[in-house]
Structure formats: structure tokens, C-alpha cells
Amino acid sequence: MLIDILATGPHSAPPFFTLLTIVFMGIIAIALILSHFRQSLMAGYFICGVILANCGVLEHIPHAQASIKALSEVGIILLMFTLGLEFSIDELKHMRKTAIIGGGTQMLICTISFALGLHYVAHVDLSHSLVIGAIVGLSSTAVALKSFQEFGLNGTSGANMAVGIAIFQDIAAIMLVAIMPQIFSESSSSSDTLCNISLAILRGIIFLSLAWVIGRYILPRIMMAVARTKSRELFTLMVFAICSGIAMLASLLGLSIELGAFTAGLFVSGSYYSHRVLSEVLPFKDFFLTIFFVSAGLLIDIDNLWTHLNQVIIITLSVLSIKFIACLIAARFLKIPGRMGIMASTALTNVGEFSLVLIPFMQEISPVHSIIINNLYAIAAVSMGLTPLLMKVAIKFAPLLIKLPGLRTKRDKASTETLAKQISELKDHAIICGYGPVGKRLHTSLSSYGVPCVIIDLNADTIKSLLNKGHIAFLGDIQHQITMELAGLAQAKIIAFTFPDPAPALASVNHIRSVNPHITIISRAKFSSELESMHRAGIKHVIHDETETGNAAIRMAKPCFDILETAPSAENES
């Protein structure tokens, strides 16, 4: 077999390199399949890890388990560093209410619920139950933010809520690392326990103090010296050297390497060169996230999962449900609109990367039964893999869910009733889907001619701003029939999809025509293949971005060469 030759032949490659090669090839194959069916790639990375871990290919690689563990640790450490870079102290001050109220509520409900379940159902002692409950209560910051990004919901109140809760969870994880050794201490007296906790806190303070001194006085000088060389490669190497150096400092003080990497990113983010560091590291973030997801999938043993399948399914559903409800309660306290509260709660139902860091840390200090740990790994990996799918489901059913008692806020109800009354009085109006630069210009132009407009967008801040200015606008997805009905589709004159993604227009065109056969549909396409698809679907008014950009370039170029044409120009011919 080729893998046997590569792994054990006379000119064999190192096991870790062999594993990386197989992982990358598997990722590309699965990603191509999923992209063809327009599915989330994050789930594909996880699936790739599961397949590789259970298809038998790893059996041909010497010391495969050690390589998998190393790959997992590298993925988590680098991911923690990038998360630390994006963690802003200023943002924490700005979002302290969301972090403290939202995160505190979510963590309290999850910790107590999971701890009671483990203690009374699985008969785990109370100390381990509380720690595991807190660990399971942590969600994946990376997965949540990536999900909001994939669905175009960045900047919404739901995304901000998810960030605030994630910030609180990050702080809670750091606290767990500091006090966990003392929780499971075998000290016979409370005074010894208190002393151990004090020492742990002291080690944490020493580490943070040293990291602060390094970040405040040493790193800027190193960064300046490296920046003066004008070598991009050296600057990138320096960034990762900082990550590994501060992570090792944390390890020497008995703290987690992963949390050390997070702290390194945190202190670098506050430096003068933070934007330069971000520009160098963020292109690697998706790569780190990919490695992290694959390594999470590699932890899944299908045989063990199949043996305890019923148990894993029940516990996973329980975890997803409890975390979803806990976040919904937090959203109510924060007065987040119903739909965005549902989206944020869905994004945070998973068990995150910090959990995968803390589980082995707990096992080293005070191990519990391996079945519980294997189930926790399975639940964490499966829940993160399910997040993109759950987000799709939430987007589709959120308009229906907010009608349930307790899910619709007073703001939702009042705004919906007012909008419904306003729109019911409109006739021959324009429906503008998306309020980016194109949608804004179209709205401004039509309004100047007295044409009434209904604006639909997925950015809560944009909608709030429009409503404050007296415009008719609401938060929604035009692909849902309820959204179309609220927009007054039957009485509208035109509907304009002002964003370059053709999918919503193609998915909605049949329903639009069935409700209003005479409406004019305006849409955009970036590529020629999309243009053809939209024409075949019966959308005649399509703005082709490439053609319009080419025409604009021609118009700007002609005066530079004193070209005055009387014959048909290239732009007209195109």
C-alpha cells in the first residue's frame, strides 16, 4: 500500500508530515464536494477528521495517536492566539453589560443544569459535576463568529450578544484553569485548600504581570526592530515566536499552554503594531480553524460512539437544548430582539474549543471515568459540526419561532404591528432587499421622486438607524414567505435585490411571480454564469457587475488618450 511505503519504507516521511499530507488531501476532496452542494465547509473539516480517524488509514502511520495529539494541540494553541488577537479590552469595556449579564446568566444556568444532571443521573461527585458543567457551558467563539460571518449577520445585535457572552466565557475558562487544581486538592483541611487556591491565584497574577511587562515594554521594542528590517517574513515569524514564548511562560508557571497563547494574543492586540499583526495572522486564521476542526473530528471513535450512541444522542440533545434555552433567557434580560436572540442562542449551543483544552487539563489533575470523557469529546465535536446546520434551520424558522409566547419581545411586537399597518396602506411601492451602498443609493433616488420604499436587511443597527429616520424598514430574510407578505409583495411595483449574491433572487423568483405576476424584479450578478442562470429563471433586469465595471473603466480611460468616438464604443458592444 502507498501509505505503508511512505510511512515505513527506506525513505519514509516523518509520521507527522504523512498525517498532515493525508489530512490536507482529505480536506480538499471533502471541501470540493460540499462546495458543489453549497454546504458549510466547517462541517466538512469535522467530517474529514471523523472519516480519517475511522477508515483505517491512520493505522498505517507509525505513532499516529501521538501525531494526532500534536496536531490537535498545535491547532488549538494557534487558534487561541488568533482569538486573543481579536479580543479587545476596549471592546470588553464597551460590552461589559452584555458580557456580565448575558454571559453570567448563560454560564450560571448551564453549570447548575449540567452539574445536577451529572450528579443525580450519572452519579458523578459534586466537585467533578460542577467543573464539567462549567466546561460544557463554554461555547466556541470561533465557530459562532464564523457562522455569523457565513450567513451575513456580522454586526447584528445577535452577533454582538454572542461576542459578549464569548468574552465572559473566555474569562471563566481562565478562572477555571487557575482554581481547578485546588478544587480537586486532596488537602485534609480547609486552610490548606485556601492556601493552594491563593498560590494558584498568585501564579496567575505573576504570569499576567510578566506577560503585561513583556507586552508593554519588551514587545514594542522587538517589533520596532523587526519592522525596521522591512521583512514581512521576519515579522510573521516574530509574531508566532511571541505566541509560543508567552505560552511556554504560562506552562512553566503551571498554567495551560493554550490559555498562555490566548493571553499572548491579548497583549499583542493592545500594542501599537496590533493592526500589522492582525493583517499578518488573520489570513492564517481559517487554516488554524481548519486544523482545529479536523483535530476535533480525529478525536471521535466511531466504534465507541456507536456503542454508546443512544447515550450520546440523548446527552447531545440535552446539551443543545439547555444551552439554547439559557441563551434565550440571557437574550430576554439583554432585551435582544426575538429573531436575533434565536440566532445568537443557536450559534452558542455548541461545546467549544476551550472545553477541549480544559477536559484533558482536568483529567491530568483528577481523572473521571473514560466513558464520560469520550462522550464529552463526542458531544463537543458533534455540536460544533452541527452549528452551521442549526444556524440554517434557525434562519428558516426564526420568523415562526418568535410568534411563540415568551420569544417575541415587546419591541418586536410593537414594531411588527406598526410596520404591518404602514405597509398595508402602500401601493405601487419598491421593496429594497439589502441596504448596502447600492441599496442606499437606490433608496435615496426613489425617495427623491416620492416613491415609497420598504427596506429589508439583516443588519439590526442599519434597520434601527432607518427606523429612527422615519423610513419603513424591518429585519428579515426575503427568502421567507412571511417576510414577503409583511413587505406587501402583492401591491409592490418593483423588488430589487441589491447585493451581489444571486441565490436569494433565484430561490424567491417563483414565489414572487405567483404572488405578483406583474412585478419588476431587479437583481445583481457577479459572473457570467450567474447572469445566464438568472435569465433562465425569468429575471430580465440583471445588473452584471463585471460588465458595468468594465464599462466604467472604459469611460475613465478614454479621456486620458483624447479618444472621441462617433462609432459604437466597446462598452456598448459589450
Side-chain angles (χ1 to χ4, degrees):
M1 192 176 182
L2 178 61
I3 297 175
D4 287 324
I5 296 172
L6 291 173
T8 60
H11 304 289
S12 61
F16 188 75
F17 180 77
T18 306
L19 177 65
L20 272 181
T21 303
I22 295 171
V23 164
F24 290 151
M25 292 174 67
I27 288 171
I28 292 171
I30 292 176
L32 287 173
I33 295 171
L34 289 178
S35 62
H36 178 74
F37 293 100
R38 296 183 178 181
Q39 298 300 310
S40 170
L41 295 182
M42 285 194 296
Y45 304 148
F46 169 70
I47 292 170
C48 176
V50 174
I51 292 173
L52 291 177
N54 296 275
C55 68
V57 67
L58 299 182
E59 296 175 2
H60 301 279
I61 302 175
H63 314 296
Q65 291 304 317
S67 297
I68 290 171
K69 185 178 179 182
L71 180 64
S72 175
E73 288 176 349
V74 168
I76 293 175
I77 289 169
L78 296 177
L79 182 60
M80 289 296 100
F81 180 62
T82 59
L83 290 177
L85 281 173
E86 295 182 298
F87 187 107
S88 170
I89 300 297
D90 293 332
E91 188 177 44
L92 176 59
K93 294 177 183 177
H94 177 69
M95 302 187 71
R96 60 184 180 276
K97 180 181 176 182
T98 304
I100 295 170
I101 296 176
T105 301
Q106 185 265 349
M107 282 297 294
L108 181 64
I109 294 172
C110 289
T111 301
I112 293 174
S113 300
F114 297 140
L116 291 175
L118 283 167
H119 185 61
Y120 289 106
V121 177
H123 307 294
V124 178
D125 66 89
L126 195 57
S127 297
H128 283 97
S129 296
L130 285 169
V131 171
I132 294 173
I135 290 174
V136 176
L138 301 173
S139 304
S140 174
T141 306
V143 173
L145 296 183
K146 184 72 173 177
S147 298
F148 276 105
Q149 181 183 343
E150 281 192 358
F151 293 102
L153 297 174
N154 278 346
T156 62
S157 57
N160 292 334
M161 172 185 160
V163 170
I165 291 177
I167 288 172
F168 185 91
Q169 290 179 351
D170 293 342
I171 296 170
I174 294 171
M175 292 293 293
L176 274 173
V177 170
I179 66 173
M180 202 185 296
Q182 320 319 320
I183 293 175
F184 301 118
S185 173
E186 297 179 357
S187 299
S188 55
S189 64
S190 57
S191 59
D192 290 340
T193 302
L194 183 61
C195 181
N196 290 333
I197 291 175
S198 300
L199 288 173
I201 293 173
L202 180 61
R203 284 200 302 271
I205 293 172
I206 292 172
F207 167 67
L208 291 175
S209 301
L210 289 173
W212 181 83
V213 170
I214 292 170
R216 180 72 175 80
Y217 296 104
I218 300 175
L219 289 185
R221 289 173 171 79
I222 296 174
M223 289 181 176
M224 181 179 292
V226 173
R228 284 173 176 168
T229 66
K230 297 181 180 180
S231 170
R232 182 174 181 179
E233 295 82 1
L234 186 58
F235 194 91
T236 304
L237 287 172
M238 176 209 63
V239 169
F240 290 111
I242 291 169
C243 168
S244 58
I246 296 181
M248 285 302 298
L249 177 62
S251 177
L252 291 173
L253 290 168
L255 301 174
S256 166
I257 292 179
E258 292 83 0
L259 290 175
F262 176 81
T263 307
L266 179 64
F267 281 103
V268 170
S269 71
S271 71
Y272 177 78
Y273 295 93
S274 59
H275 296 293
R276 170 79 186 273
V277 174
L278 278 171
S279 67
E280 294 294 333
V281 172
L282 287 187
F284 295 97
K285 184 180 177 181
D286 286 340
F287 172 72
F288 300 155
L289 192 62
T290 300
I291 295 297
F292 170 70
F293 260 93
V294 173
S295 64
L298 288 169
L299 295 172
I300 300 298
D301 183 347
I302 291 293
D303 293 332
N304 177 71
L305 188 64
W306 185 257
T307 304
H308 304 93
L309 184 61
N310 293 336
Q311 191 178 39
V312 171
I313 290 174
I314 292 170
I315 298 174
T316 301
L317 291 176
S318 300
V319 168
L320 294 175
S321 301
I322 291 170
K323 296 191 77 169
F324 181 77
I325 293 169
C327 288
L328 279 182
I329 294 171
R332 292 288 293 180
F333 284 137
L334 295 170
K335 298 180 181 179
I336 302 294
R339 183 176 181 274
M340 284 295 104
I342 290 170
M343 297 306 299
S345 301
T346 304
L348 294 169
T349 52
N350 55 68
V351 180
E353 58 274 351
F354 264 127
S355 302
L356 296 179
V357 171
L358 292 173
I359 290 170
F361 187 75
M362 182 189 70
Q363 282 295 88
E364 289 179 7
I365 300 168
S366 181
V368 296
H369 199 284
S370 60
I371 293 176
I372 295 175
I373 298 303
N374 288 335
N375 286 345
L376 286 177
Y377 278 131
I379 291 164
V382 171
S383 63
M384 283 188 284
L386 284 175
T387 298
L389 176 61
L390 292 175
M391 288 286 283
K392 281 187 177 181
V393 173
I395 287 175
K396 186 174 182 180
F397 290 101
L400 297 175
L401 290 174
I402 60 172
K403 293 184 177 182
L404 297 175
L407 289 185
R408 178 178 292 190
T409 62
K410 291 181 180 179
R411 192 168 120 198
D412 288 323
K413 188 175 180 181
S415 62
T416 301
E417 288 175 351
T418 305
L419 282 169
K421 185 176 179 181
Q422 287 180 302
I423 295 171
S424 66
E425 298 172 354
L426 296 179
K427 188 178 181 182
D428 292 339
H429 59 282
I431 301 174
I432 300 174
C433 307
Y435 203 70
V438 176
K440 187 174 182 178
R441 292 193 66 180
L442 178 61
H443 175 230
T444 302
S445 178
L446 293 178
S447 297
S448 67
Y449 291 104
V451 178
C453 298
V454 175
I455 301 159
I456 304 169
D457 198 87
L458 289 171
N459 190 313
D461 293 329
T462 298
I463 296 300
K464 183 179 179 181
S465 175
L466 288 167
L467 291 173
N468 290 337
K469 293 176 183 177
H471 300 300
I472 301 175
F474 64 94
L475 200 69
D477 189 338
I478 195 61
Q479 296 181 77
H480 301 148
Q481 296 184 12
I482 295 173
T483 305
M484 292 189 185
E485 291 172 11
L486 183 59
L489 179 65
Q491 295 81 35
K493 189 86 169 178
I494 70 166
I495 179 169
F497 295 85
T498 63
F499 36 78
D501 182 9
L506 291 170
S508 309
V509 62
N510 290 332
H511 178 72
I512 293 171
R513 292 296 187 198
S514 66
V515 174
N516 189 339
H518 305 293
I519 194 171
T520 298
I521 303 174
I522 301 173
S523 189
R524 288 174 61 187
K526 289 183 70 175
F527 308 110
S528 299
S529 58
E530 296 172 347
L531 183 67
E532 294 170 5
S533 299
M534 300 182 90
H535 283 161
R536 285 196 300 270
I539 304 174
K540 298 179 181 178
H541 304 280
V542 182
I543 302 166
H544 187 202
D545 287 9
E546 290 183 340
T547 299
E548 295 301 323
T549 304
N551 290 341
I554 292 170
R555 286 194 299 270
M556 293 176 183
K558 283 180 179 178
C560 299
F561 299 97
D562 297 328
I563 297 175
L564 296 174
E565 290 185 344
T566 56
S569 63
E571 56 194 289
N572 293 327
E573 291 173 1
S574 62

